[in-house]
């Protein structure tokens, strides 16, 4: 485990405490698509502190009024647009006016030390001299280290018993083991571990948070949750979108870095972790960290990569990845990954976890599917039942949110004939859906100092350690091309077929 293991967690409060939120990358994509809509949603739910100040920092010309107008226009443009994450019927103008009144703007270059004097002055002017401040890095990852260092040099990260200073760091957190270790080191030169909130937005998804509650608040499944009863686990994050306007980023990243050591491993840790001793940040994060330390580095023969070619996704013609803007015409960057992962622990020895993610696939499905072992005895031999189908527990993350259980029943009638059926629980049938872009809980948790849903230095380093052999191996060779709109490359089927297993259908989303 990394020697950066924290000795303390942030000081936790019962409700959000007065704070300034300084957003680096104020005019950027993340701010307008997710961070500000989340702040607005928190405001409408009265979940922001009574006293709050929003301070935007960016290179663009502008002032507080221009920044507020830009954000308001963005929010407006999302209204009624079903494909945006910000799904509200209308903007509550009173709420927006109150938020806009707290805004100020600092123009400048993040790499120049002078900027940080201006940021300090803006914090003081907003009434937070010696007060609580969140620094949100909604910026390109190459600036994370610089911003943290400069904040430290300007004295802005100093905290004491009377106030806190916290930094939110987005992904990608490094691009391999070495860079992740280096980035942690740079951050920890200016900050304590308890000040750093490394976001993985998958943990903002309701159903992902619900996994722990499902497992540990119900005695029913936990006795089955081990190698004696579970055959294997499939974790899928299939997307219909392509790389869109992110060709440059994707060429340097690829599906493995973009999705696996962060989002997919996060899901895996939620399913595989041991019950925590307590439900606080230390208890939960220690258990998750154990999963990463007990995963052996991946073997190249357990990894499959693919890249989308031209095809049709949900009725629309799509170009090949190599024809996307800012993508090399002979690029070997993968847009699809399938992996077989093991966990060397008493509970999971011998149980494969199959992970897959890809772009331009047939359907959008994010889910965790747990396949139970067949019944131990061939009780039905000599009847009409030739084969038993599998028992699955499926945790639907998106687009549906819920759980479903697949099992066998006897078909009504005189003969013994079995039929597979399913029992479904959908969140929307039981709970009112609040507008959410998925960042609300995470921001709220930063404000109250709850680090449970954030990654610790040792967790990110260990996750990179697991995938590093594949990163090394894939510097050579080529991905298998799959047509856009398919379920992935054939190699991914073979990865399971060698042990007689099959991926779940991407159609089976309900
Ligand atoms: C991001 C990746 O972190 O997650 C994107 O960079 C990906 O490539 C996205 O599309 C998926 O998130 P979600 O919430 O849309 O499933």
């Amino acid at each position: 485990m990394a020697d950066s293991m924290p000795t303390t967690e942030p000081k936790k409060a019962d409700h959000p405490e007065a704070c300034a939120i300084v957003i680096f990358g104020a005019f950027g994509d993340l701010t307008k698509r997710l961070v500000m809509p989340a702040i607005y949603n928190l405001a409408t739910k009265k979940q922001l502190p009574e006293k709050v100040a929003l301070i935007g920092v960016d290179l663009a010309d502008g002032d507080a009024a221009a920044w507020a107008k830009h954000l308001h226009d963005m929010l407006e443009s999302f209204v009624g647009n079903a494909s945006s994450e910000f799904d509200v019927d209308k903007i509550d103008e009173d709420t927006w006016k109150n938020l806009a009144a707290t805004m100020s703007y600092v123009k400048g270059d993040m790499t120049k030390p002078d900027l940080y004097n201006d940021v300090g002055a803006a914090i003081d002017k907003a009434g937070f001299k010696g007060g609580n401040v969140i620094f949100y890095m909604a910026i390109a990852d190459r600036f994370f280290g610089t911003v943290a260092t400069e904040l430290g040099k300007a004295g802005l990260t100093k905290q004491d018993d009377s106030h806190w200073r916290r930094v939110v760091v987005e992904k990608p957190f490094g691009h391999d083991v070495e860079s992740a270790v280096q980035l942690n080191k740079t951050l920890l030169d200016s900050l304590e571990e308890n000040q750093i909130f490394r976001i993985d937005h998958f943990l903002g998804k309701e159903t992902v948070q619900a996994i722990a509650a499902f497992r540990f608040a119900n005695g029913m499944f936990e006795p089955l949750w081990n190698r004696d009863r579970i055959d294997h686990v499939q974790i899928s994050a299939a997307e219909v979108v392509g790389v869109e306007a992110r060709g440059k980023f994707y060429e340097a990243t690829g599906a493995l870095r973009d999705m696996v050591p962060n989002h997919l491993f996060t899901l895996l840790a939620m399913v595989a972790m041991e019950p925590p001793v307590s439900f606080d940040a230390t208890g939960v994060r220690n258990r998750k960290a154990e999963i990463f330390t007990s995963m052996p580095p991946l073997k190249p023969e357990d990894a499959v990569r693919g890249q989308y070619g031209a095809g049709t996704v949900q009725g629309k013609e799509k170009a090949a990845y190599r024809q996307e803007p800012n993508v090399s015409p002979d690029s070997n960057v993968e847009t699809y990954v399938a992996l077989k992962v093991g966990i060397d622990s008493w509970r999971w020895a011998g149980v494969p976890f199959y992970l897959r993610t890809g772009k331009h696939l047939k359907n959008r499905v994010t889910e965790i599917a747990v396949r139970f072992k067949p019944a131990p005895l061939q009780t039905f031999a000599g009847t009409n039942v030739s084969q038993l189908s599998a028992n699955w527990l499926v945790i639907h993350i998106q687009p549906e949110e819920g759980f479903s259980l697949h099992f066998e029943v006897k078909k009504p009638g005189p003969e013994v004939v079995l039929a597979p059926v399913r029992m479904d629980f959908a969140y929307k049938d039981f709970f009112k859906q609040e507008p959410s872009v998925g960042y609300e809980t995470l921001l709220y948790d930063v404000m109250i100092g709850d680090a449970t849903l954030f990654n610790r230095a040792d967790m990110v380093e260990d996750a990179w350690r697991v995938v590093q052999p594949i990163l090394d191996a894939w510097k050579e060779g080529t991905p298998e091309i799959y047509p856009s709109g398919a379920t992935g490359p054939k190699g991914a089927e073979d990865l399971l077929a060698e042990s007689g297993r099959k991926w779940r259908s991407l159609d089976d989303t309900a």
Side-chain angles (χ1 to χ4, degrees):
M1 204 165 282
D3 58 7
S4 48
M5 191 78 176
T7 49
T8 55
E9 299 287 353
K11 203 163 111 207
K12 201 170 156 201
D14 295 335
H15 54 84
E17 298 172 306
C19 65
I21 307 177
V22 178
I23 305 176
F24 288 92
F27 278 95
D29 191 56
L30 183 71
T31 302
K32 60 194 183 205
R33 269 194 323 110
L34 296 167
V35 180
M36 199 48 84
I39 292 175
Y40 167 84
N41 281 341
L42 286 171
T44 59
K45 286 187 261 175
K46 308 256 176 293
Q47 287 174 346
L48 284 182
E50 272 192 17
K51 187 179 166 205
V52 71
L54 302 176
I55 302 173
V57 184
D58 214 319
L59 251 188
D61 282 332
D63 56 14
W67 186 41
K69 177 168 183 327
H70 172 81
L71 294 171
H72 184 268
D73 288 351
M74 282 312 299
L75 292 187
E76 283 268 86
S77 74
F78 294 142
V79 173
N81 173 356
S83 64
S84 84
E85 288 97 341
F86 183 63
D87 191 12
V88 297
D89 299 334
K90 68 176 186 45
I91 310 286
D92 176 348
E93 293 299 338
D94 287 340
T95 302
W96 178 257
K97 234 193 270 154
N98 290 339
L99 266 185
T102 76
M103 289 186 190
S104 54
Y105 182 71
V106 180
K107 169 188 151 56
D109 181 343
M110 285 175 298
T111 63
K112 301 272 163 26
D114 283 356
L115 172 76
Y116 297 83
N117 297 332
D118 296 346
V119 170
I123 292 172
D124 295 352
K125 191 157 168 228
F128 286 91
K129 188 178 179 132
N132 303 325
V133 182
I134 296 170
F135 297 101
Y136 199 113
M137 297 205 201
I139 48 177
D141 59 310
R142 64 181 183 283
F143 296 117
F144 294 164
T146 310
V147 172
T149 305
E150 294 300 335
L151 285 172
K153 281 205 282 187
L156 296 175
T157 54
K158 266 195 221 120
Q159 58 176 11
D160 58 30
D161 284 346
S162 69
H163 74 284
W164 46 257
R165 296 285 159 112
R166 295 176 183 150
V167 172
V168 180
V169 189
E170 277 287 338
K171 77 175 258 281
F173 197 93
H175 53 269
D176 55 13
V177 177
E178 200 185 324
S179 56
V181 170
Q182 183 53 50
L183 179 54
N184 274 329
K185 192 172 167 317
T186 307
L187 296 183
L188 289 163
D189 282 344
S190 308
L191 297 156
E192 303 283 328
E193 175 65 35
N194 67 36
Q195 295 179 279
I196 307 171
F197 289 71
R198 297 174 193 78
I199 276 201
D200 182 323
H201 84 270
F202 265 46
L203 276 169
K205 297 184 192 295
E206 250 330 305
T207 330
V208 177
Q209 293 169 36
I211 298 170
F214 178 82
R215 283 188 55 196
F216 304 128
N218 300 297
M220 195 165 46
F221 285 103
E222 205 50 27
L224 311 179
W225 215 253
N226 56 51
R227 68 195 159 94
D228 294 336
R229 301 302 332 142
I230 290 179
D231 176 74
H232 74 280
V233 178
Q234 296 185 12
I235 301 182
S236 306
E239 299 186 278
V240 291
V241 291
V243 294
E244 320 289 301
R246 299 163 77 216
K248 191 161 169 242
F249 161 80
Y250 214 76
E251 279 286 273
T253 310
L256 179 60
R257 286 189 172 89
D258 191 34
M259 296 292 289
V260 176
N262 30 62
H263 304 327
L264 294 193
F265 280 9
T266 286
L267 300 184
L268 183 140
M270 296 301 285
V271 180
M273 69 194 257
E274 292 298 316
V277 177
S278 60
F279 235 82
D280 57 14
T282 308
V284 174
R285 297 202 293 179
N286 283 349
R287 289 300 184 228
K288 283 195 192 166
E290 277 169 13
I291 293 297
F292 299 132
T293 44
S294 55
M295 285 161 73
L298 289 167
K299 295 197 238 81
E301 60 269 30
D302 290 337
V304 173
R305 62 181 145 162
Q307 185 191 76
Y308 61 79
T312 309
V313 183
Q314 300 190 330
K316 292 206 182 96
E317 300 269 303
K318 296 287 175 184
Y321 174 71
R322 290 176 185 173
Q323 262 73 60
E324 298 278 20
N326 297 317
V327 169
S328 157
D330 51 8
S331 172
N332 280 329
V333 168
E334 78 287 353
T335 60
Y336 178 101
V337 192
L339 300 167
K340 180 177 159 196
V341 177
I343 300 174
D344 280 344
S345 71
W346 193 272
R347 185 187 288 265
W348 295 117
V351 179
F353 285 70
Y354 295 103
L355 275 44
R356 64 176 162 169
T357 181
K359 296 203 183 283
H360 270 188
L361 296 180
K362 188 174 183 200
N363 276 319
R364 178 172 180 240
V365 180
T366 306
E367 66 170 33
I368 300 169
V370 179
R371 161 83 138 92
F372 291 93
K373 289 190 170 163
L377 198 66
Q378 284 309 326
T379 309
F380 293 94
T383 70
N384 282 341
V385 180
S386 55
Q387 219 189 345
L388 295 178
S389 34
N391 293 146
W392 290 94
L393 171 72
V394 185
I395 304 169
H396 301 281
I397 296 165
Q398 60 194 20
E400 305 301 329
E401 294 183 311
F403 295 80
S404 63
L405 193 59
H406 302 214
F407 51 95
E408 294 274 17
V409 292
K410 179 187 163 297
K411 265 193 184 168
E415 287 180 34
V416 181
V417 180
L418 300 185
V421 294
R422 54 192 285 170
M423 230 156 54
D424 287 322
F425 156 73
Y427 267 86
K428 64 175 176 346
D429 295 343
F430 283 77
F431 302 103
K432 186 170 164 274
Q433 306 274 293
E434 297 278 358
S436 165
V437 295
Y439 271 63
E440 289 80 357
T441 315
L442 299 172
L443 265 167
Y444 185 88
D445 285 353
V446 179
M447 291 189 287
I448 64 169
D450 185 349
T452 310
L453 297 179
F454 296 83
N455 285 323
R456 236 168 30 193
D458 55 310
M459 293 159 79
V460 287
E461 290 174 17
D462 270 330
W464 280 115
R465 182 188 51 72
V466 176
V467 298
Q468 187 66 48
I470 310 298
L471 295 175
D472 294 339
W474 286 0
K475 285 181 189 146
E476 311 287 336
T478 52
E480 183 186 332
I481 306 291
Y482 60 93
S484 287
T487 53
K490 169 150 185 320
E493 302 298 329
D494 299 342
L495 186 70
L496 272 70
E498 66 193 25
S499 57
R501 299 181 172 111
K502 262 173 82 174
W503 289 107
R504 265 171 51 79
S505 155
L506 289 182
D507 295 326
D508 193 12
T509 62

